[in-house]
Amino acid sequence: MEVLEIEGGKSLKGTIRISGAKNSSVALIPASILSDEGAVTLLNVPEIKDTDSLTDILAFIGADVERSTESMVIDSTNVTNKEIPEEFAKKLRASYYFMGAMLGKYKHAELFFPGGCSIGERPINLHLKGFEALGGVVTNIGKKYIVDAKELKGADIYLDIASVGATINIMLAAVKAKGVTRIENAAKEPEIVDVAMLLNSMGAKIEGAGTNLIKITGVDKLHGCSHEIIPDRIEAGTYMIIGAVAGNYLKIDNVIPKHLEALISTLEEMNVELDVGDDYVIVNKPEKYKPVVIKTLPYPGFPTDLQQPFSVLMTQAEGDSKITETIWENRFMHVPHLVNMGANIDVSGMKAFIHGPTKLYGTIVEATDLRAGATMVAAAIIAEGKTTITNINHILRGYENIVEKLSDVGASIKRVEVED
Ligand code: EPU
């Protein structure tokens, strides 16, 4: 098995360039099959396991994909509407975007329940409710879903929770439906705006993406286009947190600071020195950190995906910090590993109480999920001695060239093959 070995205690200086957003790419790749004529070119596609897995699905359904460094040209001329087998679907959560895209294109989709991080129950009832409102009939056989529609018709859909996945999946299914669809209480994440921009460049008529009311006027046909994916705000945030614990003039480049306002203001509240430019943030480790209280919320609130790495910073604050997680029921799986490294953290339900400052020590820890893995990397960078991180597949699913990016700024980090 492969592990990450990190020698802690190095200060990080230089520039880390942020890749295209994982959570945009994983929706844009399935969205591209909606083109009726012409290829879709995606630029700034991160080279991570999740985009590899989606490329495998594209190839399986017959798309012609040309992939070169950070770009993908997807020609869907020969795509056929096949059932996507379980071994493909379970590799990542976002395989379910093929449900909306297939339904939108063929009015029929067959897909197994998706995989992804075990950070909560992760139901897809709102996606299915949206498909049904558009005229789809959903059948569930074991772990498989079949959605079939005689005709897709625009509808008013209210989401009980502002779900990122449901908002995107409904957009994909509705772009070619007859008439107007309105998604109320839509999610507002930047990735949703990115998907709407791609679809509009393909000829769709979507208004209001980025607000809680999205209006989609169905069109008959979509066509190819070229689209550049936004920078990954969660990758950027992760490296900003790493900069806050170990940075000596660490520049995080190719960032949209507006997407990171909640993190930036919380870092400032903790006393972290930041220089925020138009498309970069420079981070310096301060002498002392103030403790803070955070609550994860949908965008533009503090992102749940950064709560775990942020807890490392809280272990270094002078006093008691608190995290309230409101999105996922099971997002403190990293805590026992941080405690093994020397942190003092109590978890009660969806709250974590972090008592700092504590010194961290290298040991063997596990990446229990993607962001927990990033948390272990951040902790290892400031720990005394060597940390070995197992189950690194989770990290490689979401962080492009993490070893190279961190080595280039002075971290001692390597991938090592060890016996199981
Ligand atoms: N929910 C339902 N029913 C649904 C859909 C969602 O009850 O049909 C609930 C979920 O259980 C959760 C809440 O609604 O409690 C929000 O879920 P959402 O659908 O917004 O999340 P998602 O689309 O499954 C995306 C990201 C996650 C990120 C969340 C929240 C992708 C592929 N994943 O998940 O990213 O945490 O939005 O911002 O875009 C990550 O990158 O590490 C990650 C987990």
Side-chain angles (χ1 to χ4, degrees):
M1 86 177 157
E2 222 189 350
V3 299
L4 277 184
E5 280 186 4
I6 300 175
E7 276 295 335
K10 305 273 190 297
S11 120
L12 308 185
K13 192 179 172 71
T15 301
I16 295 181
R17 191 177 161 78
I18 297 306
S19 305
K22 165 180 99 72
N23 288 345
S24 278
S25 313
V26 296
L28 297 175
I29 294 170
S32 67
I33 67 157
L34 281 160
S35 171
D36 297 291
E37 200 177 7
V40 170
T41 301
L42 297 175
L43 304 169
N44 214 17
V45 182
E47 291 186 14
I48 51 177
K49 287 212 186 266
D50 273 9
T51 55
D52 292 344
S53 302
L54 291 171
T55 309
D56 291 343
I57 296 180
L58 282 178
F60 175 81
I61 60 176
D64 186 7
V65 184
E66 263 177 57
R67 193 158 179 189
S68 50
T69 316
E70 305 212 327
S71 79
M72 262 175 107
V73 182
I74 302 162
D75 182 342
S76 316
T77 313
N78 298 320
V79 166
T80 51
N81 188 10
K82 295 202 237 178
E83 166 193 304
I84 296 171
E86 188 173 10
E87 71 254 34
F88 285 119
K90 73 178 185 200
K91 282 203 176 141
L92 75 167
R93 189 81 200 151
S95 54
Y96 61 21
Y97 290 134
F98 276 102
M99 226 189 256
M102 290 290 209
L103 186 64
K105 192 175 173 92
Y106 300 109
K107 302 187 182 62
H108 181 89
E110 292 192 29
L111 204 122
F112 282 84
F113 197 81
C117 294
S118 309
I119 51 182
E121 204 186 318
R122 310 192 82 172
I124 58 165
N125 57 311
L126 298 172
H127 304 232
L128 302 177
K129 174 183 151 177
F131 297 153
E132 283 172 342
L134 294 169
V137 176
V138 179
T139 316
N140 180 202
I141 306 169
K143 286 193 209 156
K144 187 167 124 181
Y145 289 94
I146 303 167
V147 193
D148 197 51
K150 283 206 181 67
E151 185 184 37
L152 290 170
K153 269 196 188 164
D156 286 350
I157 301 166
Y158 177 83
L159 296 180
D160 302 325
I161 301 172
S163 155
V164 173
T167 304
I168 293 178
N169 238 339
I170 294 169
M171 288 200 302
L172 297 175
V175 273
K176 289 168 75 180
K178 290 227 162 5
V180 174
T181 299
R182 282 187 195 81
I183 310 175
E184 285 181 61
N185 196 30
K188 297 186 283 198
E189 272 67 4
E191 293 74 24
I192 285 159
V193 180
D194 212 15
V195 175
M197 280 178 72
L198 169 81
L199 291 170
N200 283 346
S201 300
M202 291 169 73
K205 285 192 182 149
I206 302 176
E207 296 162 80
T211 74
N212 57 12
L213 177 63
I214 299 180
K215 181 180 164 197
I216 304 152
T217 307
V219 295
D220 288 339
K221 275 189 178 285
L222 295 174
H223 51 75
C225 70
S226 177
H227 176 85
E228 184 166 342
I229 297 169
I230 54 169
D232 194 314
R233 64 194 168 97
I234 305 301
E235 187 200 15
T238 303
Y239 288 124
M240 283 162 62
I241 292 166
I242 290 177
V245 287
N248 169 17
Y249 206 78
L250 184 69
K251 183 173 182 184
I252 318 298
D253 205 8
N254 191 34
V255 175
I256 301 178
K258 173 105 190 86
H259 292 171
L260 285 152
E261 274 175 352
L263 175 68
I264 289 172
S265 64
T266 316
L267 286 172
E268 283 171 343
E269 196 185 331
M270 287 188 87
N271 211 21
V272 175
E273 291 169 42
L274 296 177
D275 170 4
V276 181
D278 287 345
D279 61 353
Y280 66 85
V281 179
I282 297 169
V283 194
N284 271 303
K285 173 185 183 311
E287 282 281 304
K288 283 186 175 184
Y289 309 88
K290 287 191 191 143
V292 281
V293 170
I294 62 167
K295 187 177 190 176
T296 64
L297 286 169
Y299 186 82
F302 195 98
T304 168
D305 298 342
L306 289 175
Q307 168 268 103
Q308 294 162 292
F310 202 82
S311 63
V312 175
L313 187 52
M314 288 168 151
T315 67
Q316 304 306 300
E318 310 268 325
D320 295 337
S321 294
K322 179 177 154 192
I323 299 173
T324 304
E325 169 63 44
T326 71
I327 315 284
W328 302 115
E329 315 86 270
N330 200 14
R331 231 179 185 180
F332 289 125
M333 285 191 294
H334 60 292
V335 168
H337 296 280
L338 277 185
V339 169
N340 273 346
M341 295 178 79
N344 180 356
I345 306 176
D346 304 306
V347 173
S348 169
M350 285 168 76
K351 291 185 169 48
F353 301 88
I354 298 117
H355 316 287
T358 48
K359 199 168 162 45
L360 300 182
Y361 298 90
T363 180
I364 300 174
V365 292
E366 186 190 343
T368 51
D369 57 74
L370 168 59
R371 309 299 171 192
T375 308
M376 294 303 118
V377 172
I381 281 174
I382 55 166
E384 186 179 306
K386 184 174 90 176
T387 302
T388 303
I389 307 176
T390 63
N391 211 5
I392 62 168
N393 243 358
H394 276 304
I395 305 178
L396 305 178
R397 276 190 37 226
Y399 288 89
E400 184 179 48
N401 296 335
I402 186 167
V403 170
E404 295 76 3
K405 287 187 185 188
L406 284 170
S407 304
D408 283 354
V409 294
S412 167
I413 173 170
K414 55 184 182 202
R415 280 165 80 162
V416 181
E417 195 62 49
V418 295
E419 294 216 348
D420 277 9

